[in-house]
Amino acid sequence: VNPGETFTITTEDGHIQCIQGPAHVPMMSPNGSMPPIFVPPGYVSQVVEENGVRKVVVLPHSAEFHPSMHPPPPPPHVPHYMHHHHALLPHPPHPVYPPVPGTGELPPQFIHQHPPPHVFQEQGESAVSATSSSIKESVSELVSFTTESCEPDCPAAPKLINRTKNSLSLQWKSSNDNGSKITNFLLEWDEGKNGPFKECYYGHLKQYKLTKLSPSTKYSLRLAAKNDIGMSGFSETVTYYTAGIVPPPPAPPVLVEAGVTWLSLKWSPPNGVSSDDSLTYSLDMEEEGSGYGFQPQYNGDELSCTLRNLRRSTSYKFRLFAYNSEGKSSPSEVVEHSTNPDKPGPPSKPTVKGKIHSHSVKVAWEPPKDNGGSDISKYFLEISEALIGNKWDTIYSGSQREHTCDHLRPGTSYRLRVYCVSKGGESQASDVMTVTTSAVPPGPCHAPCLAGKAKPKEITLQWGKLQFVVSFFQFGPHSDKAEISTAPGPPDQCCKPVITCKNATSVIVSWESPACNGAEISEYRLDWGQVEGSMHVIYTGPCQSYEVKGLTPATTYYCRVQAVNISGVGLFGETGVVTTPASVPAAVSVLHLLEEDQMEISLPLSTCLAIQWEEPCCHGSEITGYNIEYGEKQLVTVGRNTSHVLENLLPDTLYRIRIQAINSFGVGPFSHSIKAKTKPLPPDPPHLECVVFSYQSLKLKWGEGPSRALITNPTQFNLQMEDRFGRFVTVYSGPCHTYKVQRLSESTTYYFKIQAYNDAGEGEFSEVYAFTTTKSPPASLKAPKANQLEENTYEITWEPLQPMKGDSIVYILQLAAGREFDQVYKGPETSFRLTSLQTNCEYRIRVCAGRQSQDSTGSQELYGPYSPSTVFSSQKQELVPQCADLTTELAESKKTLREERFIAIVLLCGFAVVAILFAVVIQYFVIK
């Protein structure tokens, strides 16, 4: 329909439809036959065939036209295709001259000046050139020609419509047949071997399913089309992959080593998996008695991991999953591993129970406050004479917590201490208790006797076990002095050691030699510890200095020295104290990735990773910040916070992350590395469109998927609509690709936006779309009334309707004497006078209301349904044969109408039963 013209037709139900130009009006033949086309003056119809479909094209009479393809003359009666009423035909249009094919210029017969020469051709088979010098009075007759046919154009590559582990379903479209209908298609493939192409399908269908394929395999394909002239070239080669299979369940993780607060596990790839397959693993752990079930602890491609910060002496259950690109395997068997118990704390300081005797004393003690996670199996009681020093003897071992120490010497001081043993190891000794046995009077001495021969100036006397040498020195005629020499004794008490710091982790301890008391000192013993009352020997030897290594910076240590000779062990000297200098911080020992539910704020997990760590020992200088290394040696420095968000990362990428602390002395060592992977990018919003407009609903569609997405499709959509307060609220959230918004107002604009979301997160919202509901048609009227005014004249009246939102109301009255209704009135009035009716005939009348409105496209009319029919008969004065024929025809039409209604009711009931069955099947097999 050309611009400025109106195309008016009467539809089968009697409505009049006006179409404003410019527009194309497609009309389909219901039974496949070629209908006659009634065209206005100055136009002709032409039959053309395109891709196997015959079409009738209406062209101006001056355009190119092939008489050989003109449709046959119309039959005398063709109401099925078009109700032609001379009053409804459009006015003859202004001449419209189509351009010459391929040039966009006017054809030469319509050029009234000297035009430049031009050439037009089709498919390159033949060409015609025409040159016009001047056209004065006439033009030649119209000449038609047809180019020769040739082989088809190269088709587009086949599309993949479905795939499984063992099949690929393909579909394609026809290419331009170039004048000869395409009869067959040739599909070739490389059999998944990346080798020469071979035929896999030859036939006329436009789809094919390749079966018995291998999972996770690449297949290359190409397509050609054939007609009677020959075979086309092949399409572009496309590559599709079959779906893969998830890996089989792996073997359960094996315990490599267990500690008090950590477990080291390892595992192997599942059986039957190629070494080339890229697998990742997920390790779940359940703590005994926690009630939280299995929780993920590790996710990565390594075959081992060490779990830290566990509870001591606790049983943990483990299961392992393997992942590939197709999904997750079933879990491995559940295994149970336990952390070791810790060594117990020291028992309490022994106490005296009862009276202290001269030869015995009873002591008792309490168990340690911390048993390390396992029961105490044995206690050890040690004793040492206070004057002897660091020599301890075990006098009791067992599970009791008291013991009587006997065979002691009266009036002697003893030191007592106790330690215990469990499955976790040996505890440190308790604090030392000193006890002195009761003294008793000495017994009678033995009579002295001469030991050996008497010498001129000395004699040796002995009583008991003691020997004394008595020497006599004569300073004149008589001796007046005697000297007694005893045997050598243990060394004296050592002095306070001198401590020199070499660096932050090592010191040099030196000491002076005490008096040896008659026997040369054979060795020194250096006692060392962080607690003054709990030190242990770290050096035994003859040197008077020792370098202590592996110390912690900025930490206070205590030490003391004792000397040993052949006669015994001297007393410990005064305790020395030293504090190592400050240094760089220690390594961060606890570094882990924060999960989404542990974050305080929501982050785009496709480009961000949140990590957290525990502050390490500062080694005497306050930590000022941290260096975080990730990716390809990328380094970022942060402050004193113990958490950080790494931003601007690549989506779906694995990163190795480690951290080091910083203080005023420099940077500490790096921590262990952890692996973390960013999530894929959230999906982009789909394009939103309205496919069905109604006066109270809008049916929206988005994306390329079906109306109900497959259950396995992870992408879902969030559709929002603006409410009356200007806020966007969600009206649908789910996997479907269509939604019908209902209960809307007529002729109102509504605003929508949509976003997509999946496991990777929520995508951005789309731009705001505006869709407007249509105007509502008028309601159905009641049946009109017929009042006879005089013979063969009736006054027809009907109820009026109020204007609809300012739009005026018009009415159409139709009259039928047989089966067909004819329009007898159109206008704003609510009554009409029928005259010149035939006598003694039955008539039916009905009326409908229309709504007239104006918009940017011009005048619009919207009609409601017709009212029920009103039947009335004119006065029967004389029965004429023509009226009898009409009565008989009316009876037959009523009978036919009843039969048609009965068939329609049966079909409707059958369709309802089938629809209910389909709904039950979909509810049971798809939704559930």
Side-chain angles (χ1 to χ4, degrees):
V1 183
N2 291 318
E5 297 178 349
T6 301
F7 182 60
T8 307
I9 62 171
T10 303
T11 58
E12 200 170 18
D13 58 359
H15 283 82
I16 297 176
Q17 185 174 359
C18 299
I19 300 172
Q20 300 285 341
H24 287 85
V25 186
M27 293 181 287
M28 298 297 294
S29 170
N31 56 9
S33 62
M34 184 61 63
I37 302 298
F38 295 91
V39 296
Y43 283 81
V44 294
S45 61
Q46 178 179 350
V47 179
V48 296
E49 185 170 335
E50 182 178 333
N51 294 332
V53 178
R54 288 192 300 165
K55 297 182 179 180
V56 179
V57 181
V58 179
L59 300 172
H61 185 71
S62 57
E64 291 190 9
F65 175 68
H66 303 288
S68 60
M69 302 182 66
H70 197 285
H77 183 64
V78 285
H80 181 74
Y81 295 105
M82 186 172 183
H83 182 80
H84 54 95
H85 194 282
H86 295 292
L88 300 179
L89 290 177
H91 299 292
H94 299 293
V96 176
Y97 305 134
V100 175
T103 65
E105 301 177 0
L106 293 178
Q109 62 266 34
F110 300 112
I111 299 176
H112 297 277
Q113 58 183 354
H114 297 284
H118 56 274
V119 179
F120 56 95
Q121 60 181 10
E122 181 180 344
Q123 298 297 333
E125 294 298 324
S126 62
V128 176
S129 64
T131 303
S132 174
S133 59
S134 63
I135 300 177
K136 297 181 178 179
E137 297 181 356
S138 62
V139 295
S140 67
E141 295 182 358
L142 212 64
V143 177
S144 64
F145 67 94
T146 303
T147 56
E148 295 182 1
S149 302
C150 67
E151 63 273 4
D153 289 348
C154 293
K159 302 289 185 182
L160 180 67
I161 59 175
N162 189 29
R163 67 166 186 160
T164 66
K165 299 173 186 177
N166 307 110
S167 68
L168 293 173
S169 296
L170 305 171
Q171 193 177 59
W172 54 86
K173 295 181 178 180
S174 294
S175 59
N176 189 3
D177 60 9
N178 291 334
S180 177
K181 185 176 180 180
I182 294 176
T183 57
N184 289 293
F185 295 94
L186 174 62
L187 181 66
E188 292 188 345
W189 68 327
D190 66 347
E191 299 181 306
K193 302 174 182 178
N194 200 22
F197 282 91
K198 296 184 179 180
E199 177 184 325
C200 61
Y201 171 74
Y202 183 79
H204 65 283
L205 299 179
K206 296 181 182 178
Q207 61 183 16
Y208 184 67
K209 183 176 183 181
L210 289 162
T211 58
K212 299 180 180 180
L213 307 181
S214 301
S216 299
T217 304
K218 178 180 74 173
Y219 293 91
S220 297
L221 303 108
R222 63 185 187 182
L223 181 71
K226 183 181 181 302
N227 60 12
D228 293 338
I229 308 302
M231 183 75 71
S232 73
F234 280 100
S235 67
E236 294 182 0
T237 300
V238 290
T239 299
Y240 299 121
Y241 286 80
T242 51
I245 56 177
V246 298
V254 178
L255 180 66
V256 178
E257 188 178 358
V260 176
T261 59
W262 54 272
L263 290 173
S264 182
L265 307 175
K266 69 176 183 179
W267 52 86
S268 301
N271 294 329
V273 175
S274 171
S275 59
D276 296 334
D277 290 348
S278 177
L279 295 181
T280 57
Y281 301 92
S282 175
L283 180 67
D284 290 356
M285 180 183 77
E286 180 184 26
E287 181 180 343
E288 181 183 39
S290 67
Y292 293 112
F294 281 97
Q295 299 293 324
Q297 298 295 322
Y298 171 78
N299 186 14
D301 55 2
E302 301 291 342
L303 295 176
S304 64
C305 77
T306 299
L307 303 175
R308 303 184 184 275
N309 300 322
L310 305 181
R311 297 174 58 189
R312 68 187 183 190
S313 191
T314 303
S315 178
Y316 294 90
K317 294 180 179 178
F318 297 93
R319 66 184 183 186
L320 185 68
F321 295 88
Y323 291 79
N324 61 11
S325 58
E326 297 299 328
K328 177 174 69 172
S329 72
S330 299
S332 67
E333 295 180 4
V334 176
V335 292
E336 195 167 343
H337 301 300
S338 301
T339 52
N340 293 337
D342 200 359
K343 63 182 180 180
S348 68
K349 180 180 178 180
T351 58
V352 176
K353 191 174 184 181
K355 185 178 180 181
I356 301 175
H357 300 280
S358 57
H359 296 284
S360 66
V361 63
K362 188 175 185 179
V363 295
W365 58 90
E366 293 298 325
K369 294 181 180 179
D370 182 11
N371 64 2
S374 61
D375 295 334
I376 304 299
S377 59
K378 190 177 289 189
Y379 293 94
F380 294 86
L381 180 63
E382 295 183 326
I383 192 170
S384 174
E385 290 189 29
L387 298 179
I388 296 178
N390 208 34
K391 183 180 179 182
W392 293 90
D393 297 318
T394 301
I395 60 174
Y396 169 75
S397 65
S399 60
Q400 300 299 320
R401 296 201 304 272
E402 62 181 24
H403 179 68
T404 300
C405 306
D406 50 13
H407 305 294
L408 306 180
R409 292 187 297 170
T412 305
S413 293
Y414 293 93
R415 294 184 298 165
L416 295 167
R417 69 183 184 184
V418 64
Y419 67 92
C420 58
V421 175
S422 70
K423 291 181 179 179
E426 181 181 300
S427 75
Q428 292 185 351
S430 68
D431 293 338
V432 175
M433 180 195 73
T434 303
V435 63
T436 303
T437 56
S438 301
V440 295
C445 294
H446 296 279
C449 60
L450 182 66
K453 294 180 180 182
K455 297 180 181 179
K457 295 185 179 182
E458 68 177 28
I459 61 172
T460 302
L461 301 179
Q462 178 177 348
W463 59 87
K465 294 182 178 180
L466 300 178
Q467 287 186 353
F468 289 90
V469 177
V470 183
S471 300
F472 301 95
F473 301 92
Q474 186 174 357
F475 296 93
H478 300 287
S479 172
D480 60 357
K481 185 176 181 181
E483 182 180 302
I484 301 175
S485 299
T486 60
D492 285 352
Q493 185 178 16
C494 291
C495 296
K496 182 178 180 180
V498 178
I499 308 171
T500 304
C501 290
K502 187 176 181 181
N503 53 45
T505 59
S506 66
V507 298
I508 297 176
V509 183
S510 59
W511 55 88
E512 294 182 358
S513 178
C516 64
N517 292 332
E520 184 180 357
I521 294 175
S522 60
E523 66 178 28
Y524 298 94
R525 296 177 182 175
L526 176 61
D527 225 10
W528 183 271
Q530 294 187 32
V531 181
E532 187 173 4
S534 178
M535 293 182 283
H536 59 281
V537 175
I538 64 169
Y539 169 72
T540 300
C543 297
Q544 289 181 248
S545 66
Y546 179 72
E547 183 177 357
V548 186
K549 300 179 181 179
L551 304 180
T552 303
T555 304
T556 300
Y557 293 93
Y558 300 87
C559 65
R560 59 186 181 177
V561 181
Q562 67 178 171
V564 181
N565 64 11
I566 195 172
S567 298
V569 181
L571 295 176
F572 274 107
E574 187 179 350
T575 302
V577 181
V578 65
T579 300
T580 53
S583 181
V584 297
V588 175
S589 59
V590 178
L591 172 64
H592 61 89
L593 183 72
L594 282 178
E595 300 296 336
E596 188 172 6
D597 56 356
Q598 298 174 315
M599 300 178 189
E600 296 181 357
I601 59 174
S602 178
L603 294 174
L605 299 183
S606 56
T607 58
C608 293
L609 289 174
I611 57 174
Q612 191 176 55
W613 60 91
E614 291 184 5
E615 182 174 301
C617 181
C618 67
H619 286 171
S621 177
E622 184 178 7
I623 292 176
T624 59
Y626 298 90
N627 286 334
I628 303 174
E629 185 185 88
Y630 64 98
E632 298 298 328
K633 303 296 183 181
Q634 299 179 72
L635 201 68
V636 61
T637 302
V638 298
R640 289 200 59 192
N641 293 333
T642 55
S643 63
H644 183 70
V645 176
L646 297 174
E647 299 178 321
N648 300 321
L649 304 180
L650 296 176
D652 198 18
T653 304
L654 183 68
Y655 288 89
R656 292 180 184 268
I657 306 170
R658 60 179 185 171
I659 188 172
Q660 62 182 170
I662 309 171
N663 64 8
S664 59
F665 288 88
V667 295
F670 272 108
S671 67
H672 66 283
S673 296
I674 63 171
K675 293 181 180 179
K677 191 174 185 180
T678 53
K679 290 188 176 181
L681 278 175
D684 293 329
H687 175 73
L688 186 65
E689 60 178 329
C690 184
V691 293
V692 178
F693 292 87
S694 173
Y695 62 92
Q696 61 182 3
S697 66
L698 296 170
K699 185 175 182 181
L700 307 182
K701 179 184 178 183
W702 57 88
E704 300 297 332
S707 59
R708 181 173 292 275
L710 299 177
I711 297 175
T712 56
N713 185 359
T715 302
Q716 300 197 53
F717 304 95
N718 180 23
L719 177 65
Q720 293 189 348
M721 182 177 75
E722 187 180 46
D723 63 8
R724 60 190 181 94
F725 301 106
R727 302 170 303 186
F728 278 92
V729 296
T730 299
V731 295
Y732 171 75
S733 180
C736 295
H737 289 255
T738 60
Y739 182 73
K740 187 175 184 180
V741 188
Q742 303 190 81
R743 300 178 181 176
L744 304 180
S745 302
E746 67 159 331
S747 189
T748 304
T749 300
Y750 293 89
Y751 299 93
F752 300 88
K753 62 181 181 179
I754 192 170
Q755 70 173 164
Y757 61 93
N758 56 18
D759 293 340
E762 295 183 355
E764 296 291 334
F765 270 99
S766 68
E767 61 182 14
V768 176
Y769 294 86
F771 302 115
T772 304
T773 53
T774 62
K775 292 189 175 184
S776 60
S780 176
L781 300 176
K782 294 181 180 179
K785 297 180 180 179
N787 298 317
Q788 186 172 12
L789 300 179
E790 56 188 38
E791 185 177 357
N792 300 333
T793 301
Y794 282 80
E795 178 77 18
I796 309 300
T797 60
W798 55 88
E799 64 177 5
L801 288 182
Q802 296 298 322
M804 301 178 67
K805 289 190 176 182
D807 295 341
S808 59
I809 303 296
V810 296
Y811 305 93
I812 292 179
L813 177 66
Q814 289 187 342
L815 173 70
R819 294 180 57 183
E820 295 292 333
F821 278 96
D822 290 318
Q823 177 177 325
V824 295
Y825 170 75
K826 176 183 177 182
E829 303 297 332
T830 57
S831 65
F832 183 74
R833 179 171 295 184
L834 292 175
T835 60
S836 303
L837 297 180
Q838 293 185 0
T839 306
N840 298 325
C841 287
E842 186 176 80
Y843 292 93
R844 289 179 294 142
I845 54 173
R846 63 180 184 181
V847 66
C848 74
R851 178 178 182 177
Q852 289 184 331
S853 61
Q854 295 286 335
D855 56 17
S856 59
T857 61
S859 177
Q860 300 288 335
E861 293 184 353
L862 183 64
Y863 290 91
Y866 275 96
S867 68
S869 298
T870 298
V871 180
F872 67 95
S873 298
S874 59
Q875 293 282 339
K876 295 183 179 181
Q877 295 179 353
E878 183 179 354
L879 188 62
V880 297
Q882 182 179 5
C883 184
D885 293 341
L886 290 174
T887 303
T888 305
E889 182 180 355
L890 183 61
E892 291 178 355
S893 65
K894 288 184 178 180
K895 180 179 179 182
T896 304
L897 185 61
R898 286 195 298 270
E899 292 175 352
E900 290 177 350
R901 287 178 178 174
F902 176 75
I903 294 174
I905 292 173
V906 172
L907 292 176
L908 183 61
C909 293
F911 176 76
V913 171
V914 172
I916 293 173
L917 291 177
F918 268 106
V920 171
V921 171
I922 293 174
Q923 172 75 18
Y924 185 79
F925 289 102
V926 177
I927 298 179
K928 291 190 176 181

